[in-house]
Each structure stands twice: as structure tokens, then as C-alpha cells.
């Protein structure tokens, strides 16, 4: 392990942008297909990996939804979650706020409660085994209509005590945040936090809608904010956390090369950017690899890496006391690394 790798792995950090279905590794996909007697259109683990060449978000989503088809039972969701947390813990993640896409499962006849019980079991195991805490964020699929999102919110209601917030993911262009203004208002009224993917492929106007119509507490991706100086100024002034995903940006062609990645520009502009892995099984790396790859490509300083890790706790949905505890652990780490 290089000094940089060791520094990154040892750095206490939170992961704020992780789709649990996107952490389904080909090996587990194969095992679950066998266990559940589900046919998958791949002959081998290698064939699955070879299919992971994407030219845009939709290319990826098509294969990501097909992969999720092997997830059937509570045990499957528990195994999926625990596999992610095991990788995250090894990367020095102390806290994770993970997305799940219930509609991907309920539309295949898998009960909402099966998904919830499985994920919560994996989360409890992760806390017991690794001391890794976590929260759940329910994402609405934006290619579906708002009535479907309302139906999902109704199914979630009895679990509100176990769900930190709602999010918005899937195909961005053509599905602006405005489409979900009423269901986000209902989620907010129920006391849930609100986040949304915006400005990954969609224009800055979608980020304004996420702010003004969805009243988001955190912005997922947000890369295209950089096209609008007034928007950047506002996001910085409001202290809005951006959950940036470097390897995802590379694999989905949001950036041509990691050498062009705007992470350090975001920090220089005063944006509260964080580093996350998005769909690590599909994009070639968990959180430490995202830090490492972009640090190397952009020549990030240790101070910048510490800032990114601090932002991950400040931007989390932990209590102020919990945030202070994690920020203090970063201070201790920084002092010992001096
Ligand atoms: N963008 C939109 N939807 C998604 C993503 C993403 O990066 N990952 C999983 N669903
Ligand atoms: Zn995402």
C-alpha cells in the first residue's frame, strides 16, 4: 500500500452517495441467481464484468436494473448490504447513508417489507461487527410517475422511524425534479430529509428545481452547477453538500478523463463537496479507490483530502453531537499524520 492509500484508508470518512443495488458484485449476482434459480443473461463473472462499459447513464441503468433481478429474499438483501459494509469498513468508512430503490423490487413482486427487513438486518450486523453506523434513504425512480412515488411513500410509512430521508434517482434528462414536487413536500411534512440527483447529466435548471421545489437538504452529483456562476455562489453560500462520485463520473462519461475532474475546483469555489462511490460494483471502485484515483489524477493535497472527509460528516444526517465526535476523530488523525 502506498503512503497515499494508507492515508486515505485511515482517514475517518462517511459515505453519502451509495446505491445498495449498485454494490452487487458479479460474484454475488451469480451466487444469488443460483440460489434463487433466476436466469441471468451472462455465462460467467467475467462476462458480467465485460458488459460494464457504459457511454452514458441510461446504458448503465439498463444493466443495473437487470442485475437487481436476482435479489428476491430478505436474506439476499441482508447479504447484499453486509457485503457492501464489509468493503466500506475496510476502506475506513465510519458512517454510511445508503440509497435503496424499492420500486425496482416491488414492481417485480418483492414486498417492500422484505427489502426493509433484509437491509435493516445488514445494517445491524455492520454496526455490531465493524462499529459502522448507517442510515437509509428511499429513492423514487424518476422515470416512473409521481403517483407511483406516492404509492411507495405510503408503503414506507410504517417504516418512517427507520428511514432517514427520500431521494430521487434513475434517468435524469426528461424527468426534472418538478415532476416530484408534491411527493417531496409530503415526505418533508412527514419529517424525512430530502436529497435528489441533479446536474449529473441534467442542466443547472434541474438543480434550481431541486433547491426551490424539492427543498433538498443535500445535492447528489451537482457537477453541472459549475456551468452557472450564480448557482455555484448560492450553493456555497447555503453550505449545500454535494455528493460527488469521481469514478462514476468517469464511467458514465460525465468527465472524459479523471484528470479533468472538477473536485478541486469545487472546493476552491467554496462548495461543500464530498467523495463517494455511487455504484461501486459497476464503476470499478469503492470509496477509498474514488479518493485515491481522483487524488492522484488531480494532485490533491492532504489538506484537501481532510476537507473532503470533514465535509462528509458535516453533510451527513447525523446529530450535531455525532458529527462533532467524527470531526474530532479527523482532527486526531490529522495531528498524528503531521
Ligand atoms: N444516477 C442516477 N440514478 C442512479 C445512479 C446514478 O448515478 N445510480 C443508480 N441509480
Ligand atoms: Zn447515484
Amino acid at each position: 500500500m502506498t503512503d497515499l492509500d494508507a492515508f486515505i484508508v485511515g482517514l475517518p470518512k462517511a459515505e453519502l452517495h451509495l446505491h445498495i443495488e449498485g454494490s452487487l458484485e458479479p460474484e454475488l449476482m451469480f451466487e444469488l441467481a443460483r440460489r434463487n434459480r433466476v436466469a441471468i443473461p451472462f455465462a460467467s463473472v467475467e462476462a458480467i464484468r465485460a458488459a460494464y462499459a457504459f457511454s452514458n447513464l441510461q446504458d448503465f441503468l439498463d444493466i443495473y436494473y437487470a442485475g437487481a433481478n436476482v435479489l428476491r429474499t430478505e436474506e439476499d438483501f441482508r447479504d447484499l448490504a453486509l457485503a457492501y459494509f464489509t468493503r466500506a469498513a475496510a476502506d475506513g468508512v465510519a458512517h454510511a447513508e445508503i440509497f435503496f430503490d424499492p420500486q425496482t423490487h416491488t414492481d417485480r413482486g418483492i414486498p417492500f417489507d422484505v427489502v426493509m427487513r433484509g437491509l435493516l438486518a445488514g445494517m445491524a450486523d455492520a454496526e455490531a461487527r465493524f462499529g459502522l453506523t448507517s442510515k437509509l434513504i428511499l429513492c423514487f425512480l424518476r422515470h416512473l410517475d409521481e403517483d407511483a412515488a406516492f404509492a411507495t411513500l405510503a408503503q414506507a410509512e410504517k417504516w418512517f422511524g427507520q428511514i432517514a430521508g427520500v431521494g430521487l434517482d434513475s434517468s435524469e434528462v426528461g424527468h426534472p425534479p418538478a415532476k416530484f414536487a408534491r411527493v417531496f413536500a409530503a415526505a418533508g411534512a412527514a419529517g424525512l430529509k430530502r436529497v435528489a440527483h441533479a446536474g449529473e447529466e441534467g442542466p443547472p435548471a434541474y438543480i434550481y428545481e431541486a433547491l426551490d421545489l424539492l427543498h433538498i437538504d443535500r445535492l447528489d452529483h451537482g457537477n453541472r452547477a459549475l456551468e452557472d456562476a450564480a448557482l455555484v455562489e448560492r450553493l456555497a453560500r447555503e453550505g449545500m453538500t454535494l455528493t460527488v462520485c469521481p469514478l462514476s463520473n468517469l464511467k458514465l462519461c460525465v468527465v472524459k478523463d479523471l484528470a479533468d475532474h472538477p473536485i478541486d475546483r469545487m472546493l476552491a469555489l467554496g462548495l461543500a463537496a464530498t467523495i463517494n462511490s455511487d455504484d461501486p460494483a459497476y464503476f470499478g471502485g469503492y470509496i477509498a479507490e474514488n479518493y485515491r484515483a481522483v487524488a492522484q489524477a488531480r494532485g490533491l493535497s492532504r489538506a484537501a483530502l481532510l476537507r473532503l472527509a470533514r465535509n462528509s460528516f458535516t453533510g451527513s444526517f447525523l446529530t450535531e453531537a455525532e458529527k462533532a465526535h467524527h470531526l474530532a476523530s479527523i482532527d486526531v488523525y490529522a495531528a498524528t499524520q503531521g
Side-chain angles (χ1 to χ4, degrees), residues 19 57 60-61 64 169-170 197 200 221 248 252 278-279:
H19 301 263
L57 174 60
F60 154 70
L61 289 169
Y64 160 86
D169 68 1
S170 192
H197 284 55
E200 180 183 21
H221 294 298
S248 166
L252 300 185
D278 206 1
D279 301 283

Side-chain angles (χ1 to χ4, degrees), residues 228-244:
D228 183 326
L231 178 56
V232 167
E233 198 274 327
R234 175 176 172 188
L235 292 168
R237 181 166 26 87
E238 295 181 359
M240 179 63 62
T241 297
L242 274 68
T243 63
V244 181

Side-chain angles (χ1 to χ4, degrees), residues 177-191:
K179 187 176 157 184
F180 296 92
R182 292 173 314 148
V183 75
F184 266 65

